[in-house]
């Protein structure tokens, strides 16, 4: 089983090598549209990353993106970190280290901490990953990583309902972007054309901000659902800390609203 | 013939948890008639009309049309706004002939059902004018 997984990971790595130039190019283009980067950095970035991994069940490749490039690429599944790739060099747990979660965590922390310390502001980008193998005994859980790194984990539900909502919509959304209070993009997901369209939409709304809610209402979280002519729905979440805009299949409208109420405990 | 006020009362009664139904003119930016379970300040009614205008004909509608409809035919006819306190449902007619209807409901409302009721209510009201 582990041999199959290792072979799959090697194949994925080669495939990803070929995609890297394209990813960097696409991100450079996206930066040109937004003109801004996130302020997520250092320990805060590591905490956000651990939380993201801890809430990821289906296989995902998470990219850590700085203003300059894709700094690292992580393979994540079943709430575990399976592989970290920095500078084109992947490291993943083998059978021996997988049996020792501390050893696996130490290996990953040695790769991640320098990246997050030196990259400056970063944001995360998640893409689906076709990893079809048993993952129960691979990689390391985030409690192990947290202990080795000496950085406490944050509770997503209590600390950041927007994050919880983003984690929920990520597997089902066609595309979404999250922005902080200043309008900087902190997370994004989906094909480039859809992300660019959402970003242009958000920027247009910012330009007409004086027509938004009255100041007294701006601090209250809200979620607007707008059915689009093509059958999809546009979802716009506003909070005092930032916003999220996403396009989802119209069939999920009721679930989106229920999930927003769960995340924001209303 | 059922009056506008009577139809609004009926609509409010048929949507569980609905506390306010308002019929307005987005072109004039004014609520013309409303039905509510308690007194509502004029300012709050004006705010509902302003939100509807923003979603159906104003900057938000224009930004959606410009960037997110991908050339698909059809106007925006429904907007649902969730807050921690309530659920606000806005509907208008195809072509945006200035008329809009808004329902303010509690957080437990079946929004899909409420949208259908609101659409039917708006259609009835426009048929009486």
């Amino acid at each position: 089983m582990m041999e199959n997984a290792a072979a799959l990971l090697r194949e994925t790595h080669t495939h990803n090598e070929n995609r890297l130039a394209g990813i960097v190019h696409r991100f450079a283009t996206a930066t040109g549209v937004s003109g801004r980067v996130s302020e997520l950095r250092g320990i805060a970035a590591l905490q956000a990353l651990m939380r993201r991994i801890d809430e990821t069940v289906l296989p995902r490749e998470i990219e850590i993106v700085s203003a300059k490039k894709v700094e690292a690429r992580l393979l994540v599944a079943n709430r575990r970190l399976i592989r970290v790739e920095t500078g084109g060099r992947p490291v993943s747990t083998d059978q021996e280290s997988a049996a020792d979660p501390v050893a696996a965590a130490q290996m990953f922390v040695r790769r991640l901490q320098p990246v997050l310390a030196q990259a400056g502001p970063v944001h995360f980008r998640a893409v689906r990953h076709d990893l079809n193998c048993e993952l129960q005994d691979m990689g390391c859980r985030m409690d192990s990583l947290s202990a080795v790194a000496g950085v406490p984990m944050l509770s997503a539900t209590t600390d950041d309902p927007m994050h919880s909502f983003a984690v929920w919509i990520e597997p089902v959304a066609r595309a979404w972007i999250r922005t902080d209070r200043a309008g900087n993009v902190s997370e994004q997901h989906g094909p480039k054309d859809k992300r660019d369209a959402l970003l242009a939409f958000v920027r247009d709304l910012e330009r007409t901000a004086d027509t938004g809610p009255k100041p007294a209402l701006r601090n209250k979280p809200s979620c607007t659902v707008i059915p689009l002519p093509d059958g999809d729905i546009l979802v716009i979440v506003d909070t005092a800390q930032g916003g999220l805009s996403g396009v989802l299949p119209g069939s999920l409208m009721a679930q989106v609203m229920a999930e927003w109420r769960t995340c924001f405990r209303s | 013939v059922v009056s506008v006020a009577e139809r609004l009362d009926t609509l409010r009664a048929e949507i569980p948890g609905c506390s306010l139904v308002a019929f307005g003119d987005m072109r004039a930016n004014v609520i013309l008639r409303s039905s509510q379970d308690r007194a509502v300040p004029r300012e709050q009614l004006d705010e509902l009309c302003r939100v509807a205008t923003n979603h159906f004909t104003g900057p938000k509608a224009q930004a959606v049309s410009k960037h997110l409809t991908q050339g698909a035919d059809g106007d925006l006819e429904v907007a649902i706004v969730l807050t921690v306190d309530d659920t606000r449902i806005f509907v208008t007619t195809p072509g945006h002939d200035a008329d809009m209807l808004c329902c303010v409901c509690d957080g437990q409302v079946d929004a899909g059902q409420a949208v259908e009721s609101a659409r039917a209510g708006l259609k009835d009201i426009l048929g009486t004018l």
Side-chain angles (χ1 to χ4, degrees), chain A residues 193-194 197-198 200-201 204-205 207-208 210-214 217 220-230 234 236 238 247 253 256-258 260-261 264 266, chain B residues 43 47 50 54-55 59-60 62-64 66-70 72-88 105-108 111-112 115:
Chain A
D193 59 337
K194 291 190 183 301
L198 279 169
F201 167 73
D204 259 13
L205 287 191
R207 279 191 286 275
T208 57
D210 58 332
T211 62
K214 291 184 174 182
L217 300 178
K220 287 189 173 182
S222 68
C223 175
T224 301
V225 179
I226 301 175
L228 299 173
D230 64 0
L234 170 64
I236 307 163
D238 285 313
V247 174
M253 187 166 78
V256 167
M257 292 188 285
W260 185 85
R261 291 215 176 276
F264 287 84
S266 58
Chain B
E43 185 183 43
E47 173 68 6
R50 193 198 60 75
N54 188 29
H55 280 101
K60 187 168 282 184
Q62 291 165 15
V64 170
K66 184 177 177 184
H67 301 292
L68 298 175
T69 59
Q70 300 172 326
D73 289 334
D75 296 310
L76 304 181
E77 298 174 23
V78 175
I80 304 167
V81 181
L82 312 181
T83 74
V84 293
D85 302 318
D86 56 35
T87 300
R88 302 173 185 201
C105 310
D106 63 25
Q108 310 305 315
V115 164

Side-chain angles (χ1 to χ4, degrees), chain A residues 19-235:
Chain A
R19 291 176 53 214
L20 186 57
I23 289 171
V24 171
H25 173 73
R26 288 201 303 275
F27 178 69
T29 306
T31 304
V33 173
S34 68
R36 305 176 194 173
V37 292
S38 164
E39 293 300 318
L40 198 59
R41 64 173 77 204
I43 290 176
L46 181 56
Q47 287 180 313
L49 183 63
M50 287 193 296
R51 189 167 59 196
R52 183 69 181 264
I53 294 169
D54 193 49
E55 294 174 340
T56 299
V57 176
L58 299 176
R60 293 285 182 272
E61 187 176 79
I62 297 177
E63 297 166 341
I64 302 174
V65 185
S66 71
K68 295 178 182 175
K69 61 179 180 178
V70 176
E71 300 283 348
R73 304 159 84 204
L74 284 58
L75 186 59
V76 175
N78 199 28
R79 303 180 191 277
R80 291 166 179 267
L81 177 56
I82 296 165
R83 187 191 70 202
V84 174
E85 177 184 325
T86 56
R89 293 181 299 119
V91 57
S92 56
T93 54
D94 54 24
Q95 207 156 7
E96 188 178 336
S97 61
D100 181 353
V102 175
Q106 286 172 336
M107 196 162 58
F108 290 141
V109 167
R110 278 199 298 272
R111 282 292 184 93
L112 284 174
Q113 277 191 325
V115 168
L116 295 174
Q118 297 164 15
V122 296
H123 71 274
F124 308 129
R125 196 161 54 200
V127 293
R128 296 176 191 183
H129 196 285
D130 297 327
L131 185 62
N132 185 22
C133 61
E134 179 58 55
L135 298 163
Q136 196 61 41
D137 301 321
M138 294 176 64
C140 77
R141 291 164 50 93
M142 289 305 96
D143 50 358
S144 299
L145 198 79
S146 171
V148 168
V151 174
M153 289 183 65
L154 298 177
S155 164
T157 305
T158 55
D159 295 339
D160 188 354
M162 182 77 99
H163 177 80
S164 300
F165 186 71
V167 167
W168 182 82
I169 73 164
E170 193 249 294
V172 294
R174 304 206 190 284
W176 59 270
I177 62 170
R178 184 180 174 186
T179 53
D180 63 19
R181 190 186 325 199
N184 305 319
V185 175
S186 56
E187 289 185 87
Q188 53 184 315
H189 176 82
K192 181 181 183 303
D193 59 337
K194 291 190 183 301
R195 284 188 281 120
D196 284 351
L198 279 169
L199 190 57
F201 167 73
V202 169
R203 297 298 183 236
D204 259 13
L205 287 191
E206 288 173 352
R207 279 191 286 275
T208 57
D210 58 332
T211 62
K214 291 184 174 182
L217 300 178
R218 284 183 187 146
N219 288 333
K220 287 189 173 182
S222 68
C223 175
T224 301
V225 179
I226 301 175
L228 299 173
D230 64 0
D232 284 345
I233 52 172
L234 170 64
V235 177

